[in-house]
Amino acid sequence: MKIVFHGDNASTFEPGFSNLLDARHDIKILSDTLDGAGETEAYAQADVVIGVRLTPEHPRSAARLFQVPGAGYDGIDLSVLSQSCALCNCFGHENAIAEYVMSALLARHVPLVEADAQLRRGDWHYWAGGPSGLRTELGAQSIGIVGYGHIGKAVAARATAFGMAVHVANRSPISDDHLAGVYGLDGLIEMLGSVDIVINTLPLTDSTLGLIGAQALVAMRPHAIVMNVGRGAVIDEDALYDALSNDQIGGAILDTWYVYPSPSTPQPMPGNRPFHKLSNVTMTPHMSGWTEGTIARRRAAMADNVNRLATGDNLINRIR
């Protein structure tokens, strides 16, 4: 079969990919813009396209499988996808994201960098025995996880291990004795007012766009923080910026955004609003799931699907 890795993101998974295949296939790496010699033809003739974007501007493809090298498929225009082409995604990022979440939260309670810098100046501010250096504990915090899929479950397990009270809001029913509170998405407002930390893990769909808006943010406790490791637009951008700039909530840790690099704008600011000017925001460039382990697990899952396609077996993580 002919397999193409379309774009910089997808090409990350190509090294070692052929070693996981049961048969030899013709594999090519294509640029995001498909403006190299023969790239348009290779894309159109591929049996398998691995990529994160599909728009009406892309060449029509005869592919039997469009494989997204990640969980989110909001970059795929389903109306462009041939009815005979399967669409699959893959996961494997939940452990990495859960580590990011706990690291970001711990940093707010265990100021290692600040303490190190102070002690190098002879400042013993955090010395045990001094009343000025008392810290808070992450385990004393309550956390509300919006979405209880791969990421939500991984975060909940680690938060529970730290002794945190874990609340979850999810579309489908949940049965888990370790959770302090379970809500449907119609009870999201109630949950947001009950926790110290709110974490969005949801993907972007028609039903989740702007799900956490002004009303939801108003319901949060004044000291509470919100974290986004799902998709940026699940949290309404204007409402979030206004809540942060007005100190309506305690702060935010944002890893997923509203503006992303493109071939025409490779280094944009990540929002339409100036989040970078707010002191109560920690900003990272959509890095939470991007680890060597994630790459290896996703590469293996995608190779498994190619092997399944070649032998006519059922594909895994099939969306349509």
Side-chain angles (χ1 to χ4, degrees):
M1 294 189 296
K2 297 179 180 178
I3 304 170
V4 297
F5 288 81
H6 175 214
D8 290 342
N9 183 301
S11 66
T12 308
F13 299 87
E14 190 278 333
F17 190 80
S18 61
N19 297 332
L20 301 174
L21 301 179
D22 295 335
R24 295 187 62 179
H25 301 284
D26 179 13
I27 299 176
K28 288 184 171 64
I29 295 176
L30 309 180
S31 67
D32 282 292
T33 54
L34 295 174
D35 55 3
E39 287 193 337
T40 298
E41 293 78 6
Y43 184 96
Q45 296 169 8
D47 299 292
V48 178
V49 175
I50 297 173
V52 297
R53 292 196 63 77
L54 178 64
T55 70
E57 286 70 42
H58 287 116
R60 290 296 183 267
S61 171
R64 297 159 55 198
L65 168 63
F66 195 107
Q67 174 72 60
V68 179
Y73 56 93
D74 46 288
I76 309 303
D77 186 335
L78 297 181
S79 68
V80 178
L81 199 67
S82 167
Q83 289 298 317
S84 61
C85 182
L87 174 65
C88 297
N89 65 349
C90 57
F91 299 92
H93 57 319
E94 52 271 18
N95 289 342
I97 293 179
E99 287 187 3
Y100 168 97
V101 167
M102 301 312 295
S103 175
L105 294 178
L106 279 169
R108 300 177 66 88
H109 299 275
V110 188
L112 295 179
V113 174
E114 182 181 1
D116 174 85
Q118 289 177 351
L119 191 55
R120 291 173 188 275
R121 300 192 301 267
D123 183 346
W124 288 69
H125 172 76
Y126 286 106
W127 183 27
S132 63
L134 287 171
R135 298 182 286 104
T136 55
E137 296 178 0
L138 179 60
Q141 305 293 299
S142 56
I143 185 171
I145 304 172
V146 186
Y148 202 54
H150 291 79
I151 300 171
K153 291 175 182 176
V155 171
R158 288 156 178 80
T160 299
F162 272 85
M164 303 177 74
V166 180
H167 300 250
V168 170
N170 196 58
R171 180 177 58 185
S172 56
I174 299 170
S175 177
D176 189 329
D177 294 337
H178 295 97
L179 298 176
V182 176
Y183 307 77
L185 288 184
D186 57 353
L188 177 61
I189 300 295
E190 181 183 356
M191 187 191 78
L192 296 186
S194 305
V195 297
D196 303 306
I197 301 161
V198 175
I199 298 184
N200 172 57
T201 71
L202 290 174
L204 183 62
T205 65
D206 290 342
S207 62
T208 64
L209 176 64
L211 177 69
I212 301 175
Q215 183 182 6
L217 294 168
V218 166
M220 288 177 59
R221 296 172 173 179
H223 68 272
I225 65 167
V226 62
M227 177 184 289
N228 201 351
V229 293
R231 280 292 186 263
V234 174
I235 304 179
D236 181 85
E237 181 177 13
D238 289 332
L240 177 60
Y241 180 84
D242 291 343
L244 291 166
S245 61
N246 296 326
D247 293 320
Q248 176 185 313
I249 59 176
I253 301 169
L254 304 177
D255 186 53
T256 54
W257 290 97
Y258 307 95
V259 179
Y260 279 89
S262 67
S264 60
T265 311
Q267 297 289 333
M269 296 307 296
N272 300 294
R273 305 292 295 274
F275 287 93
H276 59 286
K277 295 183 178 180
L278 300 178
S279 60
N280 57 353
V281 178
T282 298
M283 303 169 56
T284 57
H286 203 146
M287 59 178 277
S288 58
W290 203 237
T291 66
E292 293 177 355
T294 295
I295 298 297
R297 289 184 289 269
R298 289 181 174 177
R299 182 188 290 122
M302 293 190 294
D304 185 18
N305 257 356
V306 170
N307 290 332
R308 288 168 176 267
L309 183 69
T311 57
D313 291 338
N314 291 332
L315 301 174
I316 58 174
N317 298 322
R318 183 164 184 167
I319 298 162
R320 53 146 278 190

